Structures are given as structure tokens and as C-alpha cells.
Amino acid sequence: MPSTLTRLATLLTVFLIGIALTGCSMFGKEADETEGWNASKIYAEAASEMDSGNYKRAIELYEKLEARYPFGRYAMQAQLDVAYANYRAEEPEAALAAADRFIKLYPQNPYVDYAYYLKGIVNYNRSVGFLDKYVPMDVSQRDPGAALDAFTDFSELVKRFPDSKYAADARQRMVYLRNNLAKNEVNVARYYMKRGAYVAAANRANYVIERYQRTSAVEDALETLVAAYEALGEKKLAADAQRVLDVNRKAGRFVSDEPAPGEVSLGRKFWDYLQLDQN
């Protein structure tokens, strides 16, 4: 009798352990609903999530598509979509990395200009923080690093693809960025003036005048230059700078600020690229 109970107890223990192990595997790994989906199905679902604004889910699906079907037009298109989805999800570093990856893998792709443009847009917007949405700020007083990156991205696009449908907007943004970069230099010069670093202020103002001609910041740079020379006791140089300032004002040669470019509404234009919706 005891041996029978022992055998029953052993069988019951094995049974319970089996159930426990099965339960662990069931709870430890969620079922993947995409298992068995082909590339077309995954892409369509990812596109639907993107259109609905579910960018994180869209990114997850695009990455599964690339992992399972690394070759072919769906995977190639998914890389562009991932860059855009990360941009919309406010993940600038991931968006830039995805765009760079596409450029590296497909330098001759007819839509690689979009990747360059998207890089510029990401850098153009990445310095706009949460408070900027509610409190107006002078963009020329921000760290110019992202603006310089954006200017470089847009100039690369314009140089490589002058006839791109994105080139006109890129040129407009380059003008706006150049104006703000010049204003940033003037702000630095004014900071030096407040600190009594008049030589540094004069050098910075001269830098704007020489490098950023035809920007609205030149007039302010000349005013700062006059003040710096006067503070240094350089009366002749101050008079020369004042004369240049007066002549250009009278002739109306100083340009006004360019209006800020409008908000970018790229949308999902990728269907038009490879006609994936027709397959």
C-alpha cells in the first residue's frame, strides 16, 4: 500500500511539474500574431498603424519585416518608413540612424533624396523643446549645433539632387537657418560687449559681416562693431564702421528677416514610391 501511494505521489508531482513548466513557457513568451505573415501582410499592417499614428507599433512591425524578409522592395521601403516613423515618434537619433542606413545601403535609389531631406527636417526641428510649443523663444539664441547639421543636410540634398521635389523647400530652410546662425553670432558678440571683451565682440561682429552677407543680422553686427571700436578707443575704425552702416541704411541694402518656413507635412507618401499598394 505505501508503495502504491508513493507511486501516485510521484506521478502527481511529475504531472504538476509538467503543468508548471508549460505555464511558465506560456506566460514567459507571448504569442506572436505576425507569425506566418508574408512580407506584404506585415507591410500593410505596419502602414495601417503608421496612418493611425501608432508609430511605436509601426516601427516594431517594420523591423520584423526587415528581419524576416531582408531582401526585396518591402524591406527596402520599410527602412524609409522606419526613419519617418521615428521622426513622428519624436525619436530624432533613431530617425537619423535609419535615414543614414538607407543612404548607405541604397545610394542610387531614386528616392534617396527623401532620406537626405528627412535628415534635414529632423535636425531642423530637434532643437525645438517642449516649452517652445507654449512660450515663444528667439531661435537664434539656441545652441546652433542642430541648425548647422540641418544646414549641412539640406545643402547636401540641394547639391546632389538640385531637381528634387524637396530642393525648393530645402533652399528656403537654408536661407532661414543662415539668418538665424548669423543672429546667433551677433548674440555672442553682444554677450562679449556686456562682459567688456570688446576685442572678441569686434571679431565676432566682423565675422558676421564677412561670412553672412545678405542676412538681416549684418545691420546689427555693424552696430555692435561701432560700439566695440568706440569702447576700445579706436575712433577711426568706429567712424569707418558707422559710415558703412549709414550708407547701407540710406541705400536700403539691408535685408529683412525671411518668414519662417511652414510646418512640414510629409505624410505617408511612400505608397507612390514603389506602388506597394498595388501588389
Side-chain angles (χ1 to χ4, degrees):
M1 188 69 174
S3 61
T4 302
L5 290 174
T6 301
R7 284 198 298 272
L8 287 173
T10 302
L11 289 172
L12 181 59
T13 301
V14 172
F15 178 71
L16 291 174
I17 291 173
I19 291 177
L21 290 175
T22 302
C24 287
S25 81
M26 288 176 61
F27 289 108
K29 182 180 180 180
E30 295 181 2
D32 186 351
E33 65 174 335
T34 68
E35 188 174 348
W37 289 8
N38 60 23
S40 175
K41 171 68 171 175
I42 299 175
Y43 188 87
E45 290 296 322
S48 177
E49 295 290 352
M50 180 99 88
D51 290 337
S52 299
N54 301 322
Y55 303 117
K56 297 292 186 182
R57 176 59 175 162
I59 292 168
E60 179 184 334
L61 289 170
Y62 285 130
E63 290 177 345
K64 284 185 178 182
L65 171 59
E66 287 188 67
R68 293 181 192 173
Y69 305 98
F71 306 106
R73 54 184 180 173
Y74 284 102
M76 178 175 64
Q77 187 62 47
Q79 289 183 28
L80 272 182
D81 287 332
V82 164
Y84 173 73
N86 275 298
Y87 159 62
R88 293 303 304 271
E90 298 184 356
E91 296 289 347
E93 294 298 338
L96 291 171
D100 278 329
R101 183 164 167 255
F102 185 88
I103 291 169
K104 183 178 180 180
L105 291 175
Y106 308 106
Q108 303 304 319
N109 185 279
Y111 303 105
V112 72
D113 60 334
Y114 175 86
Y116 281 102
Y117 179 69
L118 184 58
K119 283 183 62 180
I121 292 298
V122 170
N123 280 318
Y124 182 87
N125 290 316
R126 71 186 307 189
S127 63
V128 178
F130 175 80
L131 287 177
D132 296 322
K133 298 177 182 178
Y134 306 99
V135 182
M137 294 181 65
D138 182 356
V139 294
S140 70
Q141 295 188 32
R142 299 192 188 109
D143 183 343
L148 286 168
D149 289 340
F151 189 91
T152 300
D153 294 330
F154 288 136
S155 63
E156 189 74 8
L157 167 65
V158 170
K159 181 176 71 175
R160 290 176 178 269
F161 310 100
D163 298 323
S164 167
K165 62 181 177 181
Y166 306 110
D169 184 75
R171 291 188 184 96
Q172 182 184 4
R173 292 180 189 280
M174 287 172 67
V175 171
Y176 182 71
L177 286 166
R178 189 167 179 268
N179 282 339
N180 283 328
L181 288 168
K183 288 180 180 180
N184 181 271
E185 295 292 338
V186 171
N187 286 334
V188 173
R190 287 170 172 166
Y191 170 79
Y192 286 144
M193 286 294 296
K194 291 178 181 178
R195 297 294 296 256
Y198 304 123
V199 173
N203 288 338
R204 211 74 179 216
N206 269 316
Y207 179 78
V208 174
I209 295 165
E210 293 170 3
R211 178 148 185 191
Y212 293 102
Q213 297 179 20
R214 302 300 299 168
T215 68
S216 60
V218 171
E219 184 173 9
D220 293 334
L222 279 166
E223 289 179 348
T224 303
L225 187 62
V226 171
Y229 282 149
E230 287 178 345
L232 290 167
E234 297 286 351
K235 295 184 178 180
K236 184 178 184 307
L237 291 175
D240 289 341
Q242 185 65 56
R243 184 171 63 254
V244 172
L245 179 61
D246 294 340
V247 168
N248 282 279
R249 273 180 176 163
K250 186 175 181 180
R253 292 178 185 147
F254 292 123
V255 299
S256 302
D257 279 333
E258 291 286 332
E263 289 292 322
V264 177
S265 180
L266 292 174
R268 285 203 67 259
K269 299 180 180 178
F270 307 127
W271 292 110
D272 298 333
Y273 287 1
L274 302 178
Q275 289 78 48
L276 297 182
D277 57 336
Q278 298 176 14
N279 293 281

